[in-house]
Amino acid sequence: VVSTQSTGKRKLAKGSSAPKTFYYVKDIQYLAHEPLLQKFAETKIFVKKVKKALGREELDTVQRVRDQKPQYTLDHIVRERYPNFADAIKDLDDALCLIFLFSTMPRQGKVQPGIINKCRILAVEFMHYVIAAKCLKKVFVSIKGIYVQVEIDGNDISWIIPHQFTTPPPSNIDFKVMLSFLELYTTVLGFVNFKLYSNLNLIYPPKALEDVFTEKSSIYYGDDMYRERLESLNIRLAEVPKLEEDEEIDEELLAGDETLEDLVQSRKEEESFKNLFKECKFFLSREVPREILVLIIRSLGGEVSWSSESSAASTYDETDPDITHQIVDRPSQSHQFLSRCYLQPQWVFDSVNQRKLLPVDEYVAGCLLPPHLSPFVSAEGYLPPEQVELLDRNKKEEEEEVEEGPGGEMTPEEKR
């Protein structure tokens, strides 16, 4: 329902020149049949009964009335607004931004803890899907937060993950309006998460793989330790048994078509990017932002762990000899292992944006870091000098690879 501009404004306003908003009568009649209006009327009566009982100090009546509080859902509104799953995916950016924002709100404030808890659950579920689907594309760290972009069904979804700092809610914000949008967005993301998990044959609500046959059934139930393990993003999720296996593309049949050859090549490059950290084993120090690093590393096929004293779901200790990279944010370490690299967190972010493992010389602990460039800047507009230098360097490396051939060997044309 949208407002309209009428040619006879003064006539409709009965001669008044005050600004007014006009709607079509049929739209208002359509809204009059909305089931939520009846629920809102019942809620208004409920509030009056509670106030009346409190005024009379009838505590038993207050408890009895509160037990009969009217309940409503927004499921039918979501189905009307998003008739197709693709429509919901395209409108997911704002929903993720608001839900991730409220998931980091302080428990004691203007927002009820139950709402914050629900937002946190939905955010964790979505991050688990990103890890399972390996759909991460870009990451950028800014003052506002961490910009993340994923690709779902061919659509690029971008949102901001706030930094893990508890900040008091500002006093000049109308939380009633934001909570109204949040109520709709939590319902939408609940539907979307269920559909996304179903597409990957994952059990929803999510279950840890080792807890499938136990009483701990989901993130909504169980003790605090079980929920902490799920929120760590470092556990495998249980899957629904597959009935049929997907057919793989036969590359030999596609060898004669250049267009399909390009498609196969692009898929190979995409698979290579999804396993960017497959040969890497990370250990995170306690001073680095753990959640976003675990999301990135596991989304690209890497293994990651941390000290068991700082959080649950630690899979190996710092003394593991197979660790290849340790992410630190201190200029010096009390003890070091010669078999691994001690790098700053920016190396992980820049490697994702460049879609390759960058040299570690410029990211060693204690070194002055290179500029952290945004991957969301288009090449058509202004580019900073550092971005131009990086593009030239990448172009030069690609030319050298073409001249040398794969693995530094001679190309088939050179052999002939």
Side-chain angles (χ1 to χ4, degrees):
V1 176
V2 296
S3 59
T4 181
Q5 297 293 334
S6 176
T7 55
K9 290 184 179 181
R10 187 173 293 274
K11 181 179 179 181
L12 292 174
K14 299 180 180 180
S16 175
S17 60
K20 290 186 178 181
T21 305
F22 299 95
Y23 296 89
Y24 287 111
V25 176
K26 59 179 183 179
D27 292 338
I28 302 301
Q29 291 176 347
Y30 174 77
L31 290 178
H33 294 83
E34 173 60 44
L36 285 179
L37 294 180
Q38 180 64 28
K39 291 293 182 181
F40 292 156
E42 295 176 1
T43 303
K44 190 175 181 180
I45 296 174
F46 162 78
V47 173
K48 289 183 178 180
K49 289 182 178 179
V50 172
K51 289 182 178 180
K52 184 177 180 180
L54 287 174
R56 294 180 177 180
E57 297 183 357
E58 299 175 353
L59 301 182
D60 295 339
T61 305
V62 171
Q63 185 62 35
R64 178 175 54 82
V65 173
R66 284 180 175 174
D67 293 340
Q68 300 175 356
K69 182 179 179 180
Q71 303 292 335
Y72 64 91
T73 61
L74 303 180
D75 298 350
H76 64 287
I77 294 181
V78 173
R79 287 193 292 265
E80 291 176 2
R81 185 168 182 176
Y82 307 107
N84 300 322
F85 180 65
D87 298 332
I89 290 295
K90 293 177 181 178
D91 200 22
L92 205 59
D93 299 28
D94 295 337
L96 289 174
C97 288
L98 198 59
I99 289 174
F100 272 83
L101 173 62
F102 273 84
S103 66
T104 59
M105 286 281 187
R107 302 285 174 173
Q108 298 177 353
K110 299 181 179 180
V111 185
Q112 297 180 2
I115 296 176
I116 299 174
N117 183 46
K118 185 176 182 180
C119 292
R120 179 60 180 168
I121 290 174
L122 293 173
V124 170
E125 289 177 356
F126 187 79
M127 287 190 289
H128 269 296
Y129 167 78
V130 173
I131 293 173
K134 294 185 176 181
C135 56
L136 184 69
K137 288 186 63 178
K138 298 177 182 179
V139 184
F140 178 67
V141 182
S142 71
I143 298 177
K144 294 181 179 179
I146 303 171
Y147 289 80
V148 181
Q149 185 179 92
V150 298
E151 183 178 358
I152 302 177
D153 293 344
N155 299 307
D156 292 337
I157 310 298
S158 304
W159 78 98
I160 303 177
I161 299 179
H163 294 293
Q164 296 298 318
F165 303 118
T166 303
T167 56
S171 58
N172 57 346
I173 299 297
D174 188 359
F175 277 91
K176 292 184 179 179
V177 177
M178 297 184 69
L179 289 174
S180 299
F181 280 97
L182 183 66
E183 190 175 8
L184 174 64
Y185 287 153
T186 51
T187 307
V188 172
L189 189 58
F191 279 108
V192 170
N193 284 346
F194 172 77
K195 179 62 176 176
L196 294 177
Y197 274 63
S198 301
N199 293 342
L200 293 182
N201 292 318
L202 295 175
I203 297 177
Y204 186 85
K207 296 181 183 178
L209 184 61
E210 60 270 19
D211 297 333
V212 176
F213 302 104
T214 63
E215 296 179 356
K216 299 173 182 178
S217 57
S218 73
I219 196 171
Y220 302 99
Y221 309 105
D223 53 11
D224 295 337
M225 182 60 68
Y226 177 70
R227 175 172 175 176
E228 186 178 357
R229 289 174 57 244
L230 281 170
E231 290 183 351
S232 68
L233 306 178
N234 202 26
I235 60 174
R236 292 185 58 190
L237 298 182
E239 298 182 359
V240 179
K242 296 182 180 179
L243 300 178
E244 297 181 359
E245 295 184 357
D246 298 334
E247 297 182 359
E248 297 182 356
I249 299 177
D250 191 352
E251 298 182 7
E252 295 181 357
L253 298 176
L254 305 178
D257 196 327
E258 296 181 357
T259 305
L260 294 178
E261 283 182 358
D262 297 339
L263 178 61
V264 172
Q265 183 63 25
S266 63
R267 287 191 177 182
K268 287 183 178 180
E269 294 177 357
E270 191 66 27
E271 287 298 322
S272 176
F273 174 67
K274 289 181 179 180
N275 296 291
L276 181 65
F277 298 131
K278 186 177 182 180
E279 304 298 330
C280 303
K281 195 170 184 178
F282 292 85
F283 186 85
L284 306 180
S285 298
R286 64 180 62 192
E287 70 271 8
V288 300
R290 188 178 69 247
E291 183 175 280
I292 184 62
L293 289 174
V294 174
L295 175 64
I296 295 172
I297 293 171
R298 293 204 62 221
S299 298
L300 300 180
E303 295 183 53
V304 63
S305 183
W306 49 85
S307 175
S308 58
E309 298 177 356
S310 59
S311 180
S314 173
T315 54
Y316 49 85
D317 202 6
E318 185 178 2
T319 58
D320 192 329
D322 297 331
I323 295 176
T324 59
H325 301 79
Q326 183 164 341
I327 308 301
V328 299
D329 203 9
R330 296 178 183 175
S332 61
Q333 306 296 317
S334 58
H335 62 279
Q336 295 187 2
F337 297 87
L338 300 179
S339 60
R340 67 186 67 167
C341 300
Y342 289 82
L343 304 175
Q344 301 184 56
Q346 186 177 327
W347 180 82
V348 178
F349 301 120
D350 290 349
S351 296
V352 173
N353 296 333
Q354 297 300 320
R355 305 177 71 89
K356 63 180 181 180
L357 296 179
L358 297 177
V360 298
D361 301 338
E362 298 180 342
Y363 298 91
V364 178
C367 291
L368 182 62
L369 291 171
H372 180 52
L373 303 174
S374 173
F376 298 96
V377 178
S378 61
E380 298 177 357
Y382 168 77
L383 293 178
E386 296 84 2
Q387 184 77 26
V388 176
E389 181 181 354
L390 182 60
L391 293 175
D392 294 340
R393 186 191 311 169
N394 293 340
K395 185 177 181 181
K396 185 177 180 180
E397 292 178 357
E398 292 177 358
E399 292 176 354
E400 292 178 354
E401 291 179 359
V402 172
E403 291 177 359
E404 295 179 359
E409 300 178 356
M410 296 178 63
T411 61
E413 290 78 11
E414 293 174 342
K415 292 181 180 180
R416 295 193 190 97

